[in-house]
Amino acid sequence: MAHGLFITFEGIDGAGKSSHIEAAAQALREQGHEVVMSREPGGTPLAEALRELFLHRPMDALTEALLVFAARRDHLATVIEPALQRGCTVLCDRFTDATFAYQGAGRGFDLAVLSQLEAWVQQGRQPDMTLWFDVPPAVAAQRRAAARAADRLEAEDLAFFERVRSGYEARRAADPGRVRCIDSGQSLEAVRAAVLALVQPLQPRGGLL
């Protein structure tokens, strides 16, 4: 039985979630956690190669879903599950909530098919806590434009990101105990404080029995 903590960071592109993962990791290390940081799609050599295809090659919604779940399976088997079995706390930049938000709500892909893929690939594995960084899509677009050139998904219009945001809200409504909403439209300091308020009380767990 795996005993480590699994915490995911979610939000539309430009919500600022990636800016706070390192601070969360540092706070957890100070509380005695052994922390493993990763991302999706990605986290393994195979998954990173699939990420490049996913972000830069044109494809339909089913192909997107199959690619991200293939990357997720390798990530789970190679990195996440072994770390949790060692008793580590795993922090991951995106996980399955992103698939339901982007491919499900954003692309309009069949949620039942995504749920079946989720069951096959994850075999019951879900995060212990998800921090959802919520921000209006127009604000996120301004941040992205100031920070970097857009990849294939980031180049989508505001209507797409409104649907993605609604997909995240649906995930939060379905599991409010797991998905914690953080107003990412606040100042960097206020968002950082909200993140730390959620992660600092978490106690490290042991490894295999």
Short mmCIF file of all heavy atoms in Angstrom, two decimals, residues 102-133:
data_model
loop_
_atom_site.label_atom_id
_atom_site.label_comp_id
_atom_site.label_asym_id
_atom_site.label_seq_id
_atom_site.Cartn_x
_atom_site.Cartn_y
_atom_site.Cartn_z
N TYR A 102 -9.53 20.28 -20.37
CA TYR A 102 -9.09 20.67 -21.70
C TYR A 102 -9.74 19.82 -22.81
O TYR A 102 -10.36 20.35 -23.73
CB TYR A 102 -7.57 20.60 -21.81
CG TYR A 102 -6.88 21.83 -21.30
CD1 TYR A 102 -6.69 22.03 -19.93
CD2 TYR A 102 -6.43 22.82 -22.16
CE1 TYR A 102 -6.07 23.16 -19.44
CE2 TYR A 102 -5.80 23.96 -21.69
CZ TYR A 102 -5.63 24.13 -20.32
OH TYR A 102 -5.03 25.27 -19.85
N GLN A 103 -9.56 18.50 -22.73
CA GLN A 103 -10.11 17.66 -23.78
C GLN A 103 -11.63 17.47 -23.60
O GLN A 103 -12.37 17.42 -24.57
CB GLN A 103 -9.41 16.30 -23.83
CG GLN A 103 -8.05 16.34 -24.49
CD GLN A 103 -7.00 17.11 -23.71
OE1 GLN A 103 -6.78 16.82 -22.53
NE2 GLN A 103 -6.36 18.07 -24.35
N GLY A 104 -12.08 17.38 -22.35
CA GLY A 104 -13.50 17.21 -22.09
C GLY A 104 -14.29 18.49 -22.32
O GLY A 104 -15.03 18.62 -23.30
N ALA A 105 -14.13 19.46 -21.44
CA ALA A 105 -14.89 20.71 -21.55
C ALA A 105 -14.41 21.57 -22.71
O ALA A 105 -15.22 22.10 -23.47
CB ALA A 105 -14.81 21.49 -20.24
N GLY A 106 -13.10 21.72 -22.86
CA GLY A 106 -12.58 22.59 -23.90
C GLY A 106 -12.87 22.09 -25.30
O GLY A 106 -13.37 22.83 -26.16
N ARG A 107 -12.56 20.81 -25.57
CA ARG A 107 -12.75 20.23 -26.90
C ARG A 107 -14.15 19.65 -27.08
O ARG A 107 -14.54 19.32 -28.21
CB ARG A 107 -11.73 19.11 -27.14
CG ARG A 107 -10.28 19.53 -27.09
CD ARG A 107 -9.91 20.38 -28.27
NE ARG A 107 -8.45 20.54 -28.38
CZ ARG A 107 -7.86 21.63 -28.82
NH1 ARG A 107 -8.59 22.68 -29.20
NH2 ARG A 107 -6.56 21.71 -28.90
N GLY A 108 -14.87 19.45 -25.98
CA GLY A 108 -16.19 18.84 -26.08
C GLY A 108 -16.13 17.33 -26.27
O GLY A 108 -17.07 16.71 -26.76
N PHE A 109 -15.01 16.70 -25.84
CA PHE A 109 -14.85 15.26 -26.01
C PHE A 109 -15.68 14.50 -24.98
O PHE A 109 -15.94 14.98 -23.88
CB PHE A 109 -13.38 14.88 -25.91
CG PHE A 109 -13.09 13.46 -26.29
CD1 PHE A 109 -13.24 13.05 -27.61
CD2 PHE A 109 -12.69 12.54 -25.34
CE1 PHE A 109 -12.99 11.73 -27.96
CE2 PHE A 109 -12.44 11.23 -25.70
CZ PHE A 109 -12.59 10.82 -27.00
N ASP A 110 -16.07 13.30 -25.34
CA ASP A 110 -16.96 12.45 -24.54
C ASP A 110 -16.37 12.18 -23.14
O ASP A 110 -15.34 11.52 -23.01
CB ASP A 110 -17.18 11.13 -25.28
CG ASP A 110 -18.28 10.28 -24.68
OD1 ASP A 110 -18.57 10.41 -23.48
OD2 ASP A 110 -18.87 9.47 -25.44
N LEU A 111 -17.05 12.66 -22.11
CA LEU A 111 -16.55 12.49 -20.74
C LEU A 111 -16.58 11.03 -20.31
O LEU A 111 -15.74 10.61 -19.49
CB LEU A 111 -17.38 13.34 -19.77
CG LEU A 111 -17.31 14.85 -19.97
CD1 LEU A 111 -18.15 15.56 -18.91
CD2 LEU A 111 -15.87 15.37 -19.93
N ALA A 112 -17.52 10.25 -20.85
CA ALA A 112 -17.57 8.83 -20.50
C ALA A 112 -16.34 8.10 -21.00
O ALA A 112 -15.81 7.21 -20.32
CB ALA A 112 -18.84 8.20 -21.06
N VAL A 113 -15.87 8.46 -22.19
CA VAL A 113 -14.65 7.84 -22.71
C VAL A 113 -13.45 8.25 -21.85
O VAL A 113 -12.60 7.41 -21.52
CB VAL A 113 -14.42 8.25 -24.18
CG1 VAL A 113 -13.08 7.72 -24.68
CG2 VAL A 113 -15.56 7.73 -25.05
N LEU A 114 -13.38 9.52 -21.47
CA LEU A 114 -12.29 9.96 -20.58
C LEU A 114 -12.34 9.22 -19.26
O LEU A 114 -11.29 8.83 -18.71
CB LEU A 114 -12.38 11.47 -20.35
CG LEU A 114 -12.12 12.37 -21.56
CD1 LEU A 114 -12.22 13.84 -21.15
CD2 LEU A 114 -10.78 12.08 -22.21
N SER A 115 -13.52 9.01 -18.72
CA SER A 115 -13.65 8.28 -17.45
C SER A 115 -13.16 6.84 -17.59
O SER A 115 -12.54 6.29 -16.67
CB SER A 115 -15.10 8.31 -16.97
OG SER A 115 -15.49 9.62 -16.64
N GLN A 116 -13.45 6.21 -18.73
CA GLN A 116 -12.98 4.84 -18.95
C GLN A 116 -11.46 4.80 -19.06
O GLN A 116 -10.80 3.93 -18.48
CB GLN A 116 -13.61 4.26 -20.21
CG GLN A 116 -13.26 2.81 -20.46
CD GLN A 116 -13.75 1.90 -19.35
OE1 GLN A 116 -14.95 1.69 -19.19
NE2 GLN A 116 -12.84 1.36 -18.55
N LEU A 117 -10.89 5.75 -19.80
CA LEU A 117 -9.43 5.82 -19.90
C LEU A 117 -8.80 6.07 -18.53
O LEU A 117 -7.78 5.47 -18.18
CB LEU A 117 -9.02 6.92 -20.87
CG LEU A 117 -9.31 6.65 -22.36
CD1 LEU A 117 -9.13 7.93 -23.17
CD2 LEU A 117 -8.42 5.54 -22.90
N GLU A 118 -9.42 6.94 -17.76
CA GLU A 118 -8.94 7.22 -16.40
C GLU A 118 -8.91 5.95 -15.56
O GLU A 118 -7.93 5.68 -14.85
CB GLU A 118 -9.84 8.27 -15.76
CG GLU A 118 -9.48 8.63 -14.33
CD GLU A 118 -10.48 9.61 -13.72
OE1 GLU A 118 -11.67 9.57 -14.08
OE2 GLU A 118 -10.06 10.41 -12.87
N ALA A 119 -9.97 5.16 -15.64
CA ALA A 119 -10.03 3.92 -14.85
C ALA A 119 -8.96 2.93 -15.29
O ALA A 119 -8.30 2.31 -14.45
CB ALA A 119 -11.42 3.30 -14.99
N TRP A 120 -8.77 2.78 -16.60
CA TRP A 120 -7.76 1.85 -17.09
C TRP A 120 -6.36 2.27 -16.69
O TRP A 120 -5.54 1.46 -16.25
CB TRP A 120 -7.83 1.77 -18.62
CG TRP A 120 -9.00 1.02 -19.16
CD1 TRP A 120 -9.79 0.12 -18.51
CD2 TRP A 120 -9.54 1.12 -20.49
NE1 TRP A 120 -10.79 -0.34 -19.33
CE2 TRP A 120 -10.65 0.25 -20.55
CE3 TRP A 120 -9.18 1.86 -21.61
CZ2 TRP A 120 -11.40 0.09 -21.72
CZ3 TRP A 120 -9.93 1.71 -22.78
CH2 TRP A 120 -11.03 0.84 -22.83
N VAL A 121 -6.06 3.54 -16.87
CA VAL A 121 -4.69 4.03 -16.70
C VAL A 121 -4.32 4.20 -15.23
O VAL A 121 -3.21 3.85 -14.81
CB VAL A 121 -4.52 5.35 -17.47
CG1 VAL A 121 -3.23 6.07 -17.06
CG2 VAL A 121 -4.53 5.09 -18.97
N GLN A 122 -5.24 4.73 -14.44
CA GLN A 122 -4.90 5.12 -13.07
C GLN A 122 -5.21 4.05 -12.03
O GLN A 122 -4.66 4.09 -10.93
CB GLN A 122 -5.62 6.43 -12.71
CG GLN A 122 -5.11 7.58 -13.54
CD GLN A 122 -5.93 8.84 -13.42
OE1 GLN A 122 -6.15 9.55 -14.39
NE2 GLN A 122 -6.41 9.13 -12.21
N GLN A 123 -6.08 3.13 -12.36
CA GLN A 123 -6.40 2.02 -11.46
C GLN A 123 -6.72 2.52 -10.05
O GLN A 123 -6.25 1.98 -9.06
CB GLN A 123 -5.25 1.01 -11.46
CG GLN A 123 -4.99 0.42 -12.85
CD GLN A 123 -3.82 -0.54 -12.88
OE1 GLN A 123 -3.19 -0.82 -11.87
NE2 GLN A 123 -3.51 -1.04 -14.06
N GLY A 124 -7.52 3.57 -10.02
CA GLY A 124 -7.97 4.11 -8.74
C GLY A 124 -7.12 5.23 -8.17
O GLY A 124 -7.53 5.87 -7.20
N ARG A 125 -5.95 5.48 -8.73
CA ARG A 125 -5.09 6.53 -8.18
C ARG A 125 -5.67 7.91 -8.44
O ARG A 125 -5.96 8.28 -9.56
CB ARG A 125 -3.69 6.44 -8.80
CG ARG A 125 -2.76 7.63 -8.46
CD ARG A 125 -2.50 7.75 -6.97
NE ARG A 125 -1.80 6.59 -6.46
CZ ARG A 125 -1.75 6.32 -5.15
NH1 ARG A 125 -2.37 7.09 -4.27
NH2 ARG A 125 -1.10 5.23 -4.73
N GLN A 126 -5.86 8.68 -7.37
CA GLN A 126 -6.30 10.06 -7.45
C GLN A 126 -5.44 10.90 -6.50
O GLN A 126 -4.89 10.37 -5.54
CB GLN A 126 -7.78 10.20 -7.06
CG GLN A 126 -8.76 9.55 -8.01
CD GLN A 126 -8.82 10.24 -9.35
OE1 GLN A 126 -8.45 11.40 -9.49
NE2 GLN A 126 -9.28 9.52 -10.38
N PRO A 127 -5.33 12.19 -6.76
CA PRO A 127 -4.58 13.04 -5.83
C PRO A 127 -5.25 13.09 -4.45
O PRO A 127 -6.47 12.96 -4.34
CB PRO A 127 -4.62 14.42 -6.50
CG PRO A 127 -4.94 14.15 -7.93
CD PRO A 127 -5.81 12.93 -7.93
N ASP A 128 -4.43 13.28 -3.43
CA ASP A 128 -4.98 13.53 -2.09
C ASP A 128 -5.50 14.95 -1.99
O ASP A 128 -6.47 15.21 -1.28
CB ASP A 128 -3.89 13.31 -1.04
CG ASP A 128 -3.44 11.86 -1.00
OD1 ASP A 128 -4.24 11.00 -0.58
OD2 ASP A 128 -2.31 11.58 -1.42
N MET A 129 -4.86 15.88 -2.69
CA MET A 129 -5.29 17.28 -2.72
C MET A 129 -4.94 17.88 -4.06
O MET A 129 -3.88 17.59 -4.62
CB MET A 129 -4.62 18.10 -1.61
CG MET A 129 -5.00 19.59 -1.62
SD MET A 129 -4.04 20.59 -0.43
CE MET A 129 -4.74 19.99 1.11
N THR A 130 -5.84 18.70 -4.58
CA THR A 130 -5.60 19.42 -5.82
C THR A 130 -5.79 20.91 -5.56
O THR A 130 -6.83 21.31 -5.03
CB THR A 130 -6.56 18.96 -6.93
OG1 THR A 130 -6.29 17.59 -7.23
CG2 THR A 130 -6.39 19.80 -8.19
N LEU A 131 -4.80 21.71 -5.90
CA LEU A 131 -4.91 23.15 -5.81
C LEU A 131 -5.26 23.69 -7.19
O LEU A 131 -4.47 23.57 -8.13
CB LEU A 131 -3.59 23.77 -5.33
CG LEU A 131 -3.01 23.21 -4.03
CD1 LEU A 131 -1.78 24.01 -3.62
CD2 LEU A 131 -4.03 23.20 -2.92
N TRP A 132 -6.47 24.24 -7.31
CA TRP A 132 -6.93 24.79 -8.58
C TRP A 132 -6.76 26.30 -8.56
O TRP A 132 -7.41 27.00 -7.78
CB TRP A 132 -8.38 24.41 -8.84
CG TRP A 132 -9.02 25.14 -9.99
CD1 TRP A 132 -8.43 25.50 -11.16
CD2 TRP A 132 -10.36 25.63 -10.05
NE1 TRP A 132 -9.32 26.17 -11.97
CE2 TRP A 132 -10.51 26.26 -11.31
CE3 TRP A 132 -11.45 25.57 -9.19
CZ2 TRP A 132 -11.71 26.85 -11.70
CZ3 TRP A 132 -12.65 26.16 -9.58
CH2 TRP A 132 -12.77 26.78 -10.83
N PHE A 133 -5.86 26.81 -9.40
CA PHE A 133 -5.59 28.23 -9.49
C PHE A 133 -6.56 28.83 -10.50
O PHE A 133 -6.40 28.66 -11.71
CB PHE A 133 -4.13 28.46 -9.91
CG PHE A 133 -3.14 28.02 -8.87
CD1 PHE A 133 -2.83 26.67 -8.71
CD2 PHE A 133 -2.55 28.94 -8.02
CE1 PHE A 133 -1.94 26.25 -7.73
CE2 PHE A 133 -1.65 28.54 -7.04
CZ PHE A 133 -1.35 27.19 -6.89
#
